[in-house]
Amino acid sequence: MCDQRARMLQDQFSVCVNHVHALAVLVSTFHHYKNPSVIVQDTFAEYTARTAFERPLLSGVAYAPRVLNSEREDFERQHGGTIRTMANKEPSPHRDEYAPVIFSQETVSYLNLLDMMSGEEDRENILRARSTGKAVLTSPFKLLGSHHLGVVLTIPVYKSKLPPNASVRDRIEATAGYLGGAFDVESLVENLLGQLAGNQEIIVKVYDVTNTSDHLIMYGRQTQEGDVTREHVSRLDFGDPYRKHHMTCRYLHKAPISRTAITTAVLGYVIVILAGYMFYTGAIHIVQVEDDFDTMQQLKVRAEAADVAKSRFLATVSHEIRTPMNGILGIILDLRMLALLLDTDLSSTQRDYAQTAEACGRALITLINEVLDRAKIEAGKLELEAVPFDLRSILDDVLSLFSEKSRNKGIELAVLVSDKVPQIVMGDPGRFRQVITNLVGNSVKFTEQGHIFVQVHLAEHSKAVQDAKFESCMNGRSNGPQSKTLSGREAADDRNNWDRFKHLIADEESPFQVLTSDGNSQTVNLMVSVEDTGIGIPLHAQELVFMPFMQADSSTSRHYGGTGIGLSISKCLVELMGGQISFVSRPQIGSTFSFTAKFTRCEKNTVADLKRSLYDDLPTSFKGLKATIVDTKPVRAAVTRYHLKRLGVLVEVVNSIKTAVTGSGSCSCSGQPDMILVEKDVWLSGDDLSNIQVFGRALKSPKLILLATNVTSGELDKAKAAGFSDTLIMKPLRASMVAACLQQVLGTGKAEQGKVMANGSVYLRGLLREKKILVVDDNRVNRRVAAGALKKFGAEVECADSGKAALDLLKIPHEFDACFMDIQMPEMDGFEATRRIRMMESQVNEQQTSGSMDGCCDKQAQARKWHLPILAMTADVIQATFQECQKSGMDGYVSKPFQEENLYQEVAKFFESKPATDS
Amino acid sequence: MAAVAQLQRQFIEYTTSLHNEGYLDDQFTQLQKLQDESNPDFVVEVVSLYFEDSEKLLNNLATALQQKSVDYKQVDSHVHQFKGSSSSIGAQRVATVCVHFRNFCEEKNLEGCVRCLQQLKQEYILVRSKLETLFRLEQQIVQAGGQIPMME
């Protein structure tokens, strides 16, 4: 860096010196050798001005001839001025010789006639120059005029050409004058270095080091600044061997190396600090984790305690709410009854209040039960049974539960199970029933008019038909949309209309062959759909449907009641059954919920046995009878046909009464129908009325049966007048109910009532009739009440007042079909008693197995494993109690005091699923 | 016949008031429903059992609470019995007092227990007299040749 600068300066310097040499030659040639001289001040000034670019470092040049004291007067006269000193520009005192400037560059024109030998440095320079004959330099000094530091260059001009080896004396003799130039080092070097990059960072100094002990500065400030340690020194050769110069360069700032060192140090420090901090936080973290762990454990303990507390709370609350709620409900009912009996009609507002209060009360009790149910599922304790059951009869039961409500609303409620679905399947009937009940319950709740239609098909078959939908559309009958659903109202899932439906119910000659329906597969995949024409689910709420406690919006729960927990429970149950639940819903049109469920096929030989025991209630006396259904709606007719077919009745469907009359008259091969079933709306559509009467008179033998969802007493009278004196079947249709009606009409069985409306309690009576039941309770009053209730439903009841007494009575073999067990009893509580009963049973069962291996036991005993259904009777129905019940081997529980629905559900669970017990 | 109708109306009013004042709850109605031709005296039978047991239990409780060192477990089991039979016949207010009584038992609060016993006695006597009146009404209706009206 420094060397480069030095070389540059040196080059420029020598260029300048050379040019000044040239000037010296010029002056000697044209001023001294020519006589008269051809150079005047103007010529010189112009020439030097025009050649100034050749001498970049020189601020100006001037020529001064050697004038001896003797020549001074001539000289002054000739030039018209006196010789003056440089110091004060006064006329010069007498000297031996002078060197007055006669030619000067314009920049230094102030030198004119100044005696160069009057300045100390210039004088020395002049003397040295003329004795050596070379260019010489002064030591740096303040230049005249600019006050900048500078050096003066002096070159002698001789009168004659001197030989190279001329002596000093010869040289002095021959001297004609001196050409001088001023190097204004300070400003000129500045310019020069300014052209170089990076000059700000580098301090350049130029020293005259002729006197080694005292360096004179030529350029640069004297102050010590910058990095002394990194100073570079370069020698300068300006062509004067007497003078020695050098240049020093140093960086203004600290060296980059040291900067790097500092950076490194700082980084190192930072890293150390960071590392330290990391260790510190690590240590802190460990401590914190330990603390957190402790806290967590405490929280866990508290949470567990809270869980227990919650269970207790639920127990208390369920009881505490239930009791007063029942009281309130009772009061409301009494109030309405009272008003009725006293003939003082309640005002509509009052009645509304009463109804609202009743609905709220019922909703509250439902909520408590549902919350408890959900808790059971969440605990993962729920295991599905695998027992044979008849799903058609279960669906009939569910329908009967809702028959009252649907009838009041005038909704058509119907169920249809495909012929391809096996009669008996293995699965959990209780849970299947629960899901169906929930879905139908929802539909009933949200539907004000139209229909609710439950269908069960094989999933494979349903899918096959769906795949063939295109074809079915092409072949579809040209029925108007009116007749394509059950009630004629549009449904949300329009795939469920008649076009598709007729294929699903088509007989064996159906073009849709399904591999799994041939009975080879052990799995039965069922597809169940519940279609309604209710209010539908708002689009925004559709994704929340299966979340617990979610309803479409708060107004829904206000208006319709319910907790929104039912569907989430259903979803859990369906998934447990290996299926999926989904829905299609269109607001204001309706919703269709469908789910799949896996069941297993029953062994053929067991089916036969079961069929007998499970199916006793459907009489076979109608087999081979013929019926004509008069219905304009094909789906509805299919439902009626389904129920009749279950009874073995041969069915023909016709569009109008007229066709029924003529058809039965003309087609002799099929014979006369034994009964004609007419839908109410077909009958009411005026033009058929006359036909009825004609028909009624003409053909006496077929029985006329009217099918209706609801009838007014006026309509009933009219129907009787019209010929429907035989009977009226109220929907929803159920095989057993239809059977009862037919028995009455056809006189094949004991007639009970004109209208058959079975409900839960009737069904319960069917379940409990002639069952032998043991009631265990230490409380006399409770015992008596429980026994009374069970007797009421037709059971044979025996009582035991303690666990011990119960054990005595239940010594195997015994005759009991079930046991209702109080939990809290002195000495031996219900749990303990149950455990002992189960122990006895397993002992006997083991003996039997080992006995049968010995071959000494008869088949009857081998087939029968002892397991007495034991139900806990408790006032606090909570999850914890339920688990305790299960643990000790109980089959379920009923709340005390007995509630019909609860009792029905629990009893139905094992009396249906364990048909062997009543054999 | 008018007399029967009047009696029937009285009966209904009275039953309703018993419900309204909380002496009886739905369970009593259920009990009445269980009574039919095959079991004509069911309610009276059960309620008489209840009266017998209750008086025994009240005596037992009084004795138990007079002991120097009270056996709260014993007391609690008596109250549990009382509560069970009371809810079985629908004597709601008696059952409610039993719930409080059991809380005091758990706390081993003698003063509370004694106070509850007094309350229990009062409530029991009240419900007994109410039920006796009701049965008298029933008898009168039956004697007059009427049917006992069913409460829903």
Side-chain angles (χ1 to χ4, degrees):
Chain A
M1 207 64 159
C2 198
D3 288 341
Q4 185 199 346
R5 282 176 165 73
R7 203 158 48 244
M8 226 172 89
L9 189 58
Q10 194 177 299
D11 288 349
Q12 294 275 337
F13 205 94
S14 33
V15 166
C16 298
V17 173
N18 289 345
H19 199 256
V20 177
H21 262 291
L23 275 178
V25 175
L26 183 86
V27 169
S28 66
T29 311
F30 293 100
H31 185 63
H32 294 290
Y33 300 165
K34 289 276 179 187
N35 205 2
S37 157
V38 292
I39 296 179
V40 292
Q41 164 61 27
D42 292 345
T43 328
F44 187 84
E46 198 188 341
Y47 180 77
T48 50
R50 288 174 67 180
T51 57
F53 66 92
E54 298 272 11
R55 311 173 299 271
L57 295 182
L58 287 170
S59 55
V61 289
Y63 174 71
R66 181 182 183 209
V67 178
L68 297 174
N69 198 31
S70 56
E71 299 160 341
R72 179 176 174 173
E73 279 182 38
D74 289 343
F75 177 84
E76 284 182 337
R77 205 180 320 115
Q78 191 184 338
H79 286 274
T82 54
I83 296 171
R84 291 167 291 154
T85 58
M86 288 176 77
N88 43 20
K89 301 191 175 67
E90 289 293 301
S92 176
H94 285 284
R95 298 278 168 92
D96 291 343
E97 53 178 317
Y98 309 93
V101 172
I102 55 169
F103 305 138
S104 58
Q105 200 178 337
E106 258 187 312
T107 52
V108 288
S109 55
Y110 53 86
L111 289 174
N112 211 8
L113 291 183
L114 287 185
D115 179 10
M116 285 296 122
M117 295 189 71
S118 63
E120 197 188 333
E121 284 87 2
D122 292 284
R123 182 188 162 84
E124 261 177 43
N125 228 25
I126 286 167
L127 294 178
R128 201 154 59 82
R130 69 181 181 195
S131 56
T132 59
K134 290 189 175 161
V136 295
L137 291 167
T138 62
S139 60
F141 67 100
K142 290 249 171 178
L143 292 177
L144 208 60
S146 71
H147 300 288
H148 285 167
L149 267 181
V151 290
V152 170
L153 168 78
T154 308
I155 290 174
V157 177
Y158 297 104
K159 289 174 197 158
S160 54
K161 284 179 186 143
L162 287 168
N165 54 352
S167 67
V168 174
R169 193 180 167 83
D170 293 338
R171 285 176 201 274
I172 294 169
E173 284 298 311
T175 300
Y178 328 95
L179 197 68
F183 285 97
D184 185 343
V185 183
E186 203 164 328
S187 59
L188 294 172
V189 173
E190 196 82 59
N191 283 342
L192 173 71
L193 294 177
Q195 296 164 9
L196 290 169
N199 62 320
Q200 275 88 1
E201 280 88 43
I202 295 168
I203 296 168
V204 176
K205 289 184 181 176
V206 181
Y207 291 96
D208 181 335
V209 290
T210 314
N211 184 346
T212 48
S213 63
D214 180 18
H215 294 186
L216 295 172
I217 192 147
M218 272 170 74
Y219 169 75
R221 275 173 290 178
Q222 193 64 54
T223 49
Q224 290 283 328
E225 57 182 30
D227 184 9
V228 188
T229 57
R230 289 182 62 246
E231 189 173 70
H232 272 269
V233 181
S234 305
R235 278 204 51 218
L236 284 173
D237 180 11
F238 290 148
D240 180 355
Y242 176 75
R243 295 277 171 201
K244 288 190 177 66
H245 297 88
H246 72 216
M247 181 188 256
T248 65
C249 304
R250 61 172 70 133
Y251 288 99
L252 180 59
H253 305 293
K254 291 290 182 189
I257 289 172
S258 67
R259 234 192 278 168
T260 317
I262 286 167
T263 315
T264 316
V266 168
L267 277 176
Y269 184 66
V270 168
I271 287 168
V272 167
I273 285 180
L274 282 176
Y277 181 70
M278 276 162 67
F279 280 121
Y280 173 72
T281 49
I284 291 283
H285 188 64
I286 288 167
V287 172
Q288 267 180 349
V289 166
E290 277 172 354
D291 284 355
D292 286 355
F293 181 70
D294 285 348
T295 323
M296 287 303 196
Q297 272 200 325
Q298 282 167 10
L299 285 176
K300 185 168 168 269
V301 170
R302 262 195 276 170
E304 281 165 356
D307 214 33
V308 173
K310 192 180 79 180
S311 281
R312 265 194 219 140
F313 174 74
L314 273 176
T316 321
V317 166
S318 67
H319 181 75
E320 295 298 320
I321 294 176
R322 238 186 250 188
T323 315
M325 217 49 232
N326 280 331
I328 292 166
L329 284 176
I331 291 164
I332 295 160
L333 293 174
D334 292 348
L335 199 65
R336 286 164 63 191
M337 188 58 74
L338 185 70
L340 205 66
L341 287 167
L342 294 182
D343 274 347
T344 53
D345 233 350
L346 289 172
S347 76
S348 62
T349 331
Q350 284 169 332
R351 195 162 42 238
D352 187 47
Y353 285 160
Q355 278 168 354
T356 313
E358 192 189 331
C360 290
R362 298 220 180 279
L364 194 54
I365 287 173
T366 317
L367 166 67
I368 293 166
N369 290 335
E370 280 176 338
V371 167
L372 292 171
D373 210 2
R374 168 107 197 145
K376 258 189 275 173
I377 294 173
E378 271 174 359
K381 301 283 188 215
L382 198 78
E383 279 180 12
L384 292 187
E385 283 183 290
V387 294
F389 69 100
D390 176 10
L391 54 87
R392 284 175 180 79
S393 68
I394 285 189
L395 288 167
D396 280 355
D397 297 345
V398 173
L399 242 59
S400 75
L401 286 178
F402 293 102
S403 57
E404 199 65 44
K405 273 182 195 161
S406 67
R407 234 173 262 154
N408 290 341
K409 284 183 168 184
I411 309 168
E412 184 107 28
L413 179 60
V415 65
L416 190 144
V417 181
S418 160
D419 292 341
K420 297 186 172 57
V421 175
Q423 201 83 44
I424 308 288
V425 292
M426 298 274 282
D428 191 327
R431 296 306 172 180
F432 181 71
R433 183 205 316 270
Q434 193 177 349
V435 176
I436 300 270
T437 308
N438 176 250
L439 293 180
V440 175
N442 275 346
S443 286
V444 170
K445 202 195 294 180
F446 293 112
T447 307
E448 294 305 327
Q449 45 191 323
H451 69 262
I452 295 160
F453 188 21
V454 184
Q455 296 178 62
V456 184
H457 299 284
L458 288 181
E460 293 85 359
H461 189 221
S462 168
K463 195 169 173 293
V465 171
Q466 204 166 315
D467 292 343
K469 194 195 164 202
F470 179 72
E471 193 197 331
S472 69
C473 280
M474 299 298 287
N475 300 341
R477 224 191 280 179
S478 58
N479 275 331
Q482 274 292 308
S483 56
K484 290 194 175 175
T485 65
L486 185 66
S487 66
R489 286 177 66 89
E490 196 184 355
D493 191 351
D494 51 13
R495 287 172 305 172
N496 261 349
N497 63 23
W498 171 244
D499 288 341
R500 171 165 176 253
F501 182 72
K502 67 179 179 206
H503 289 292
L504 279 175
I505 58 167
D507 291 323
E508 299 310 311
E509 59 267 30
S510 156
F512 308 105
Q513 287 305 317
V514 184
L515 287 173
T516 46
S517 63
D518 57 6
N520 284 342
S521 166
Q522 276 305 302
T523 319
V524 182
N525 276 315
L526 292 186
M527 170 82 183
V528 184
S529 66
V530 178
E531 173 186 292
D532 69 53
T533 56
I535 57 165
I537 302 163
L539 295 176
H540 66 89
Q542 290 199 355
E543 57 194 49
L544 300 176
V545 159
F546 294 113
M547 304 263 281
F549 300 111
M550 285 291 178
Q551 283 199 331
D553 51 53
S554 49
S555 67
T556 307
S557 51
R558 262 205 304 281
H559 190 247
Y560 295 102
T563 57
I565 197 174
L567 279 174
S568 77
I569 294 173
S570 294
K571 186 171 190 282
C572 293
L573 291 175
V574 166
E575 279 162 7
L576 277 172
M577 287 190 267
Q580 279 172 330
I581 190 165
S582 64
F583 66 96
V584 176
S585 184
R586 282 193 283 158
Q588 306 312 322
I589 304 253
S591 310
T592 303
F593 277 81
S594 3
F595 68 90
T596 54
K598 278 199 178 78
F599 296 100
T600 45
R601 214 168 271 278
C602 253
E603 298 294 325
K604 286 270 183 215
N605 51 351
T606 55
V607 171
D609 292 346
L610 283 165
K611 228 178 190 172
R612 242 191 302 116
S613 58
L614 282 175
Y615 230 24
D616 271 346
D617 57 330
L618 282 189
T620 50
S621 53
F622 305 108
K623 266 208 171 103
L625 292 181
K626 296 186 188 72
T628 304
I629 299 169
V630 183
D631 197 349
T632 49
K633 290 173 182 159
V635 177
R636 192 170 60 184
V639 172
T640 314
R641 197 231 296 260
Y642 156 72
H643 289 291
L644 287 173
K645 270 181 89 177
R646 286 172 64 191
L647 296 173
V649 178
L650 302 172
V651 180
E652 191 190 357
V653 180
V654 294
N655 261 334
S656 66
I657 296 172
K658 209 173 190 173
T659 332
V661 176
T662 51
S664 58
S666 64
C667 191
S668 55
C669 56
S670 64
Q672 266 198 352
D674 297 291
M675 64 197 101
I676 298 178
L677 298 103
V678 186
E679 283 286 341
K680 191 182 90 174
D681 58 343
V682 176
W683 164 60
L684 284 179
S685 58
D687 55 344
D688 280 330
L689 195 63
S690 57
N691 281 324
I692 271 280
Q693 282 161 343
V694 171
F695 185 57
R697 275 195 296 270
L699 297 155
K700 283 291 172 200
S701 68
K703 300 290 179 184
L704 285 178
I705 297 163
L706 187 63
L707 300 172
T709 312
N710 54 351
V711 272
T712 60
S713 54
E715 281 172 339
L716 196 63
D717 291 344
K718 214 165 121 194
K720 276 178 182 161
F724 289 109
S725 46
D726 297 323
T727 200
L728 165 70
I729 297 182
M730 293 292 284
K731 293 189 180 178
L733 295 181
R734 286 175 298 113
S736 57
M737 183 193 66
V738 173
C741 286
L742 295 184
Q743 264 169 357
Q744 189 204 346
V745 172
L746 300 170
T748 51
K750 47 178 180 175
E752 281 182 15
Q753 285 171 307
K755 285 198 221 173
V756 176
M757 279 186 272
N759 58 25
S761 71
V762 171
Y763 193 74
L764 192 54
R765 197 171 299 162
L767 279 179
L768 288 175
R769 194 169 45 214
E770 284 162 25
K771 297 278 191 297
K772 201 166 177 198
I773 290 172
L774 178 65
V775 172
V776 187
D777 199 323
D778 62 318
N779 189 316
R780 253 196 324 164
V781 177
N782 289 357
R783 211 154 59 218
R784 189 71 193 83
V785 172
L790 291 168
K791 273 182 190 163
K792 175 93 181 168
F793 294 119
E796 248 180 78
V797 183
E798 205 160 315
C799 294
D801 61 356
S802 70
K804 269 191 183 143
L807 284 178
D808 288 340
L809 282 169
L810 288 175
K811 282 221 169 74
I812 294 168
H814 58 73
E815 294 292 308
F816 292 100
D817 296 310
C819 172
F820 285 72
M821 180 85 77
D822 182 31
I823 289 179
Q824 208 170 345
M825 288 186 291
E827 285 179 71
M828 185 190 293
D829 67 8
F831 297 131
E832 180 58 29
T834 308
R835 267 191 289 274
R836 294 206 184 180
I837 292 167
R838 292 287 176 248
M839 221 169 353
M840 282 190 331
E841 283 174 349
S842 64
Q843 272 172 7
V844 173
N845 288 340
E846 260 175 53
Q847 279 170 10
Q848 273 182 6
T849 358
S850 60
S852 71
M853 271 191 274
D854 298 339
C856 66
C857 221
D858 64 306
K859 290 222 164 183
Q860 195 64 37
Q862 184 191 349
R864 180 163 179 176
K865 279 205 175 240
W866 289 95
H867 183 94
L868 181 72
I870 300 177
L871 290 176
M873 290 190 291
T874 168
D876 311 320
V877 191
I878 59 157
Q879 193 201 340
T881 318
F882 174 75
Q883 284 170 354
E884 188 78 42
C885 286
Q886 277 201 325
K887 225 192 279 172
S888 57
M890 287 175 171
D891 298 274
Y893 58 77
V894 291
S895 57
K896 198 168 63 171
F898 286 165
Q899 284 170 320
E900 210 171 89
E901 270 171 59
N902 172 247
L903 188 63
Y904 163 70
Q905 274 178 357
E906 290 298 322
V907 168
K909 215 161 72 179
F910 57 75
F911 277 151
E912 275 199 344
S913 59
K914 300 249 188 304
T917 49
D918 66 357
S919 65
Chain B
M1 223 42 212
V4 173
Q6 169 128 27
L7 278 172
Q8 283 175 334
R9 198 173 309 148
Q10 247 182 6
F11 176 83
I12 289 163
E13 267 169 34
Y14 193 68
T15 316
T16 312
S17 76
L18 289 183
H19 278 96
N20 284 346
E21 285 156 36
Y23 289 109
L24 297 176
D25 65 17
D26 188 43
Q27 184 54 29
F28 188 72
T29 319
Q30 297 284 342
L31 221 57
Q32 287 176 316
K33 277 193 202 164
L34 291 179
Q35 182 168 299
D36 54 18
E37 302 83 48
S38 65
N39 207 351
D41 294 322
F42 182 67
V43 177
V44 176
E45 190 193 323
V46 170
V47 171
S48 316
L49 277 179
Y50 173 69
F51 289 163
E52 277 177 38
D53 280 4
S54 301
E55 269 141 45
K56 227 181 283 167
L57 284 168
L58 284 172
N59 278 334
N60 288 349
L61 279 170
T63 321
L65 286 175
Q66 278 164 2
Q67 300 299 313
K68 267 181 191 151
S69 64
V70 178
D71 182 355
Y72 284 101
K73 224 173 145 187
Q74 179 76 46
V75 174
D76 185 67
S77 102
H78 288 322
V79 181
H80 173 70
Q81 286 276 340
F82 209 166
K83 178 173 162 251
S85 50
S86 300
S87 18
S88 267
I89 68 143
Q92 194 181 189
R93 281 166 64 154
V94 180
T96 312
V97 177
C98 287
V99 174
H100 295 303
F101 202 148
R102 290 191 77 184
N103 286 341
F104 283 124
C105 253
E106 207 174 327
E107 293 168 18
K108 297 197 163 56
N109 180 340
L110 184 62
E111 200 192 325
C113 284
V114 171
R115 212 168 51 229
C116 267
L117 182 59
Q118 287 310 314
Q119 248 181 313
L120 207 53
K121 268 185 191 161
Q122 264 173 24
E123 288 294 348
Y124 166 69
I125 289 165
L126 266 174
V127 83
R128 190 179 62 183
S129 69
K130 301 270 178 191
L131 283 169
E132 279 166 356
T133 313
L134 195 70
F135 292 150
R136 265 201 299 282
L137 260 174
E138 269 186 22
Q139 273 176 352
Q140 281 171 9
I141 293 172
V142 173
Q143 276 165 11
Q147 279 239 323
I148 295 159
M150 278 302 287
M151 303 295 292
E152 164 60 333

